[in-house]
């Protein structure tokens, strides 16, 4: 099921390009997407399905390009213990072996190594699947072939894991809609999305536009890769592992029908991977949108979290809704608590009172964090910056207090011993000063 595109994607070059192509397709892999293929992509193919794609996957030039992408992304070794550096020592031989195995149909993905990592901005942990380096190369080659086919069909309201799009684009869209009076928000949470994707339904969605049985078989093989977790090994019957190169594309393909249905019904949906909101102008519209969204999720065997999915009047609800690290409430934006807490944890690691580095070195490292954090959260309400600036200076004063032979965190006269101007002279990046300068430039 396809929806209308509303404009072109900005150019995001991934590889050296030697073609004369439309800017919105400059990111496609040149080893696969020749000018002739891009013409077919833009003009459409017979029956809307693509045949004879497998030879594009195992083409030596595509595998070489895929290896370069996998190498630049680095990453840990998989279940075979082979690191990116080890693969690099004999890359030509390994790529030739992959080419022959894919060409003759003897390629078989290895098991995925499962590990648990901290949730971004949260206190919990989430599973991460780590394929072998060889599998990452093949998945990248496969993605190079499949991604443009589905990018030509994805709707503009989808922002996650797509060329030329990102969190800030999604946030700008939300801000625009809020300013236009879309104050009733369906704040939706898909429960365990990546772990509950139905394999058969996903394969049907891929097969709507891909008719090459060998490519479909390769996609299926990656979905059914065995998983190693400690001493346990099993074959998943649903889901796609977070950490696999091909997973973000497959996740977008799976939710594409939801995008099309909601956009077709006239709703203002903004989706970033499995994080989505629907903005409406009335409570009744929001409730109807939620009911329709629920129906779409049930058809995909997905579940909206009963406690985390709700309808919010963002003008009056002091808690508002959270989206991509921000909390929107009563006409203002703040970093959500988990995002701020995770940021502070990273600053704490750099500003322990026992830190033996010079103050200048510590400030330099803290500045890197502050600049990056400000770059994303610079649209938050201004009082946030004052609070964070004070807290960072307190951490630095506590280091200086200990070096002066005093116990405990900074307090009392420490503010006068090491003034704000003292830290400014040392080069400390100040969030509020950066905010005021940007406000003035506007």
């Amino acid at each position: 099921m396809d929806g209308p595109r509303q404009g072109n994607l900005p150019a995001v070059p991934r590889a050296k390009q030697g073609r004369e192509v439309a800017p919105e397709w400059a990111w496609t892999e040149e080893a696969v997407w020749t000018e002739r293929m891009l013409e077919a992509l833009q003009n459409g193919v017979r029956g809307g399905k693509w045949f004879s794609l497998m030879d594009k996957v195992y083409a030596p030039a595509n595998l070489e390009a895929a290896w370069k992408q996998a190498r630049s992304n680095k990453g840990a070794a998989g279940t075979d213990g082979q690191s990116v550096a080890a693969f690099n020592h004999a890359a030509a031989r390994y790529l030739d072996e992959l080419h022959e195995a894919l060409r003759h149909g003897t390629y078989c993905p290895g098991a995925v190594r499962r590990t648990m990592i901290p949730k971004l901005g949260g206190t919990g942990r989430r599973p991460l699947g780590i394929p072998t380096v060889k599998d990452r190369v093949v998945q990248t080659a496969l993605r190079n072939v499949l991604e443009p086919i589905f990018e030509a069909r994805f709707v503009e309201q989808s922002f996650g894991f797509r060329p030329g799009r990102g969190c800030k684009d999604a946030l700008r869209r939300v801000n625009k809609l809020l300013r236009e009076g879309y104050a009733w928000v369906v704040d939706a949470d898909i429960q365990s999305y990546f772990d509950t994707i139905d394999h058969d339904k996903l394969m049907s969605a891929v097969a709507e536009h891909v008719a090459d049985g060998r490519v479909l078989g390769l996609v299926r093989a990656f979905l059914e890769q065995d998983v190693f977790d400690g001493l346990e090994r099993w074959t998943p019957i649903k889901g796609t592992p977070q950490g696999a190169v091909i997973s973000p594309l497959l996740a977008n393909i799976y939710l594409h029908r939801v995008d099309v249905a909601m956009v077709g019904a006239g709703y203002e949906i903004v989706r970033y991977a499995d994080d989505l909101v629907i903005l409406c102008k009335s409570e009744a519209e929001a409730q109807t949108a939620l009911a329709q969204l629920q129906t779409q999720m049930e058809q995909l065997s997905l579940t909206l979290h009963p406690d985390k999915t709700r309808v919010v009047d963002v003008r009056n609800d002091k808690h508002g809704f959270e989206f991509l690290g921000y909390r929107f409430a009563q006409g203002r934006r703040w970093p959500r608590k988990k995002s701020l807490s995770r940021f502070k944890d990273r600053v704490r690691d750099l500003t322990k009172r026992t830190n033996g580095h010079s103050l200048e070195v510590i400030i330099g490292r803290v500045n890197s964090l502050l600049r990056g954090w400000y770059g994303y959260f610079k649209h938050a309400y201004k009082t946030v910056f004052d609070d964070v600036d004070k807290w960072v200076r307190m951490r630095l004063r506590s280091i200086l207090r200990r070096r002066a032979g005093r116990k405990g965190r900074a307090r009392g006269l420490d503010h006068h011993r090491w003034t704000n101007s003292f830290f400014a002279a040392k080069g400390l990046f100040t969030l509020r000063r950066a905010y005021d300068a940007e406000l003035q430039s506007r």
Side-chain angles (χ1 to χ4, degrees), residues 125-315:
R125 296 167 70 81
R126 65 180 178 88
L128 181 70
I130 304 176
T132 64
V133 177
K134 291 181 180 179
D135 288 345
R136 298 206 290 267
V137 171
V138 175
Q139 286 191 26
T140 303
L142 179 61
R143 186 192 64 188
N144 288 346
V145 172
L146 293 181
E147 190 170 34
I149 293 173
F150 291 94
E151 270 296 318
R153 293 165 172 82
F154 288 159
V155 300
E156 291 295 299
Q157 290 81 356
S158 163
F159 293 89
F161 306 115
R162 295 183 58 190
R165 308 181 138 234
C167 293
K168 291 183 180 180
D169 301 298
L171 290 167
R172 275 192 285 267
R173 181 63 182 162
V174 168
N175 288 331
K176 182 176 184 296
L177 291 169
L178 290 173
R179 288 195 302 268
E180 292 175 357
Y182 290 82
W184 287 91
V185 179
V186 178
D187 184 9
D189 183 279
I190 306 175
Q191 200 162 5
S192 303
Y193 173 59
F194 283 87
D195 296 331
T196 56
I197 291 175
D198 184 285
H199 288 177
D200 290 336
K201 291 178 181 179
L202 173 57
M203 290 306 306
S204 295
V206 176
E208 285 184 19
H209 301 293
V210 175
D212 188 319
R214 295 179 67 187
V215 168
L216 293 174
L218 187 57
V219 174
R220 172 74 76 167
F222 282 126
L223 290 175
E224 296 177 351
Q225 283 178 276
D226 280 3
V227 176
F228 259 124
D229 188 355
L231 299 177
E232 295 184 40
R233 178 170 181 156
W234 73 92
T235 302
I237 58 174
K238 59 183 179 179
T240 179
Q242 297 184 63
V245 175
I246 199 71
S247 287
L249 174 60
L250 296 178
N252 274 334
I253 291 172
Y254 198 64
L255 283 179
H256 175 60
R257 64 170 292 169
V258 176
D259 297 337
V260 172
M262 301 309 292
V263 172
Y267 295 115
E268 293 290 355
I269 182 173
V270 181
R271 182 174 69 81
Y272 190 97
D274 59 332
D275 198 355
L276 69 91
V277 290
I278 305 170
L279 293 94
C280 305
K281 288 194 171 181
S282 70
E283 182 179 11
E285 182 188 5
Q287 294 292 353
T288 303
L290 176 56
Q292 185 163 339
L293 180 65
Q294 180 71 56
T295 299
Q296 291 294 322
M297 292 297 169
E298 290 172 357
Q299 291 175 359
L300 289 175
S301 302
L302 298 173
T303 303
L304 292 178
H305 198 295
D307 299 324
K308 297 180 180 180
T309 299
R310 61 200 186 101
V311 171
V312 178
D313 178 0
V314 73
R315 296 164 300 187

Side-chain angles (χ1 to χ4, degrees), residues 12-19 25-31 61 65-66 68-69 144:
V12 182
R14 277 194 195 150
K16 183 178 179 180
Q17 304 295 331
R19 306 159 295 170
W25 299 113
W27 57 270
T28 56
E29 178 50 56
E30 183 179 5
K68 290 178 180 177
Q69 293 173 52
N144 288 346

